[in-house]
Amino acid sequence: MQELGRWDTRFVVLALGSIFVYLIAKALRMAVMVAQFQPNMSFRDLLRISLVYIFVNTVTPFTAGGIPVQVYLLTRYV
């Protein structure tokens, strides 16, 4: 716990902000792609799919589960 006291709070806030911006940008990119096929998906659903994609992509070996899970979740809305 002593290590946490040495961290600069600005860098922690910057790192968390960067992760937040990354997630929003990923959801916006998916929104642009999905708008051609299913225009009535909410941004909340797209953000949830992005979070699940990142989680599964991180957990599975060789990042094998991310894209199939994303496709599966997107087909639920078609």
Side-chain angles (χ1 to χ4, degrees), residues 5-76:
R6 293 186 217 165
W7 288 8
D8 190 3
T9 346
R10 292 178 293 169
F11 293 120
V12 173
V13 170
L14 182 65
L16 292 175
S18 298
I19 291 170
F20 180 73
V21 167
Y22 169 74
L23 291 174
I24 296 296
K26 188 164 184 59
L28 286 173
R29 181 183 62 87
M30 197 180 331
V32 169
M33 290 187 321
V34 170
Q36 298 174 11
F37 305 110
Q38 186 74 7
N40 57 355
M41 281 185 71
S42 70
F43 187 72
R44 185 176 141 235
D45 291 334
L46 292 170
L47 191 58
R48 184 181 61 82
I49 290 171
S50 295
L51 289 172
V52 171
Y53 165 78
I54 291 170
F55 175 75
V56 173
N57 201 22
T58 304
V59 172
T60 56
F62 305 112
T63 63
I67 294 175
V69 168
Q70 184 178 11
V71 169
Y72 170 72
L73 291 173
L74 285 172
T75 57
R76 293 176 59 197

